[in-house]
Amino acid sequence: MTIAAPFLARTERFASVGSTNDVVRAWLAEGTPEVCLALADIQTAGRGREGRTWLTAPGAALLLSAGFRPVWLAPHRTWRLPAIVGLAMAGAAEAVAGLPEGTVRQKWPNDLVLEMDGGWRKVAGVLGESVGLGTAGPRVVVGIGTNVNWRRVDFPAAIAETMTSILEAGGGQAVDPDELLGDFLARLEALTSDLRADRFDAAGWRDRQVTTGRMVALHGADGREEHVRAIDVDTETGALVVVGDGDRRPRAVFSGEIRRLRLRPAWPGV
């Protein structure tokens, strides 16, 4: 497949690779300019946040990583690169599956989820990794794995209750992965151009957050669990704004502090 995206400096598709994030990280270390993109039909060592394994069936998902050299982006705003990758995929998934705008939501910090069977199921995960932030040579890799034509009957039993696919969200109608990729890249190009010009779709990112107005369970890096009310997100820092039982005022929680976030029943006061 030829990927017609002039904004990409380098792109390569692999039948099988350990991790597309590792491929792109190596490219950037070798001097490859931005934006570079690696895709894979199968990942043998795909991973999510905190080193968790990203599971997918061969040919059932769109697996890719994009590499950036964001000298044009302040270090404290680097979180916006994973954010725009998520926004681009959310919009592309809705477009190719014929879903209403806003159907694909974001579960802070980076998962894409859909409301199905009375709950929220994961359709994609985003993983951002960075090197050299605050130096003259920052490098950021953003990987995203999206469940595309994965049938419910084939979901792994261990995660079947928490995952879904674009095919399932669209009522069983298969999606053309190349169409999804093309739509995603067009959106990513526009969002990257905006970000370089110091424009970020803060309202769009905020509106897609499914965590806002809900009780959530935060599993900290230290292993502790805390139940809090998620009341907003900070579009400047990317933090989740929460209120806990012992808080006198709202406080910011940053993604590096949290290993996992679970949604709890909606907070009726919002």
Side-chain angles (χ1 to χ4, degrees):
M1 172 197 174
T2 300
I3 301 174
F7 83 107
L8 295 176
R10 177 178 180 178
T11 182
E12 189 170 347
R13 189 166 205 157
F14 301 87
S16 178
V17 71
S19 163
T20 54
N21 265 32
D22 290 345
V23 170
V24 171
R25 184 187 301 104
W27 287 353
L28 292 174
E30 294 166 359
T32 301
E34 66 172 29
V35 176
C36 50
L37 186 84
L39 302 100
D41 296 325
I42 300 173
Q43 285 190 124
T44 59
R47 60 185 180 275
R49 294 187 69 244
E50 297 294 329
R52 291 190 292 271
T53 301
W54 174 259
L55 299 172
T56 187
L62 181 60
L63 310 170
L64 61 89
S65 297
F68 302 86
R69 297 182 177 278
V71 293
W72 37 269
L73 188 62
H76 72 280
R77 289 181 173 172
T78 306
W79 65 270
R80 289 181 174 179
L81 289 169
I84 65 171
V85 168
L87 285 171
M89 186 58 74
E94 291 167 350
V96 301
L99 301 173
E101 184 176 351
T103 300
V104 181
R105 306 290 295 277
Q106 292 185 305
K107 190 186 82 171
W108 186 93
N110 289 320
D111 284 350
L112 298 185
V113 298
L114 287 156
E115 187 173 15
M116 300 183 72
D117 303 324
W120 294 95
R121 293 173 175 257
K122 183 175 179 176
V123 70
V126 181
L127 176 65
E129 300 175 313
S130 62
V131 175
L133 297 184
T135 72
R139 304 191 299 270
V140 176
V141 180
V142 182
I144 181 168
T146 306
N147 297 329
V148 184
N149 290 319
W150 204 345
R151 299 181 305 160
R152 180 177 301 208
V153 295
D154 297 325
F155 291 171
I159 55 175
E161 296 302 314
T162 60
M163 68 173 285
T164 190
S165 66
I166 298 175
L167 177 145
E168 291 294 333
Q173 182 66 39
V175 171
D176 182 345
D178 290 345
E179 182 183 358
L180 176 64
L181 176 63
D183 195 301
F184 165 76
L185 290 176
R187 294 171 188 269
L188 181 62
E189 180 177 13
L191 290 168
T192 302
S193 179
D194 283 346
L195 208 54
R196 286 179 178 142
D198 198 26
R199 296 190 299 269
F200 173 64
D201 185 11
W205 180 72
R206 171 180 268 147
D207 289 347
R208 283 196 185 268
Q209 299 299 319
V210 71
T211 42
T212 303
R214 290 183 175 271
M215 295 296 296
V216 299
L218 301 178
H219 295 255
D222 58 3
R224 291 187 300 174
E225 178 178 291
E226 180 185 15
H227 293 180
V228 296
R229 297 168 179 169
I231 60 174
D232 203 355
V233 285
D234 186 337
T235 59
E236 181 64 25
T237 66
L240 181 70
V241 182
V242 304
V243 175
D245 288 341
D247 295 328
R248 294 184 177 181
R249 60 180 62 89
R251 58 186 167 92
V253 175
F254 297 89
S255 61
E257 302 170 0
I258 301 301
R259 295 190 61 186
R260 184 162 60 98
L261 178 150
R262 290 188 299 109
L263 295 173
R264 296 179 63 80
W267 178 29
V270 173

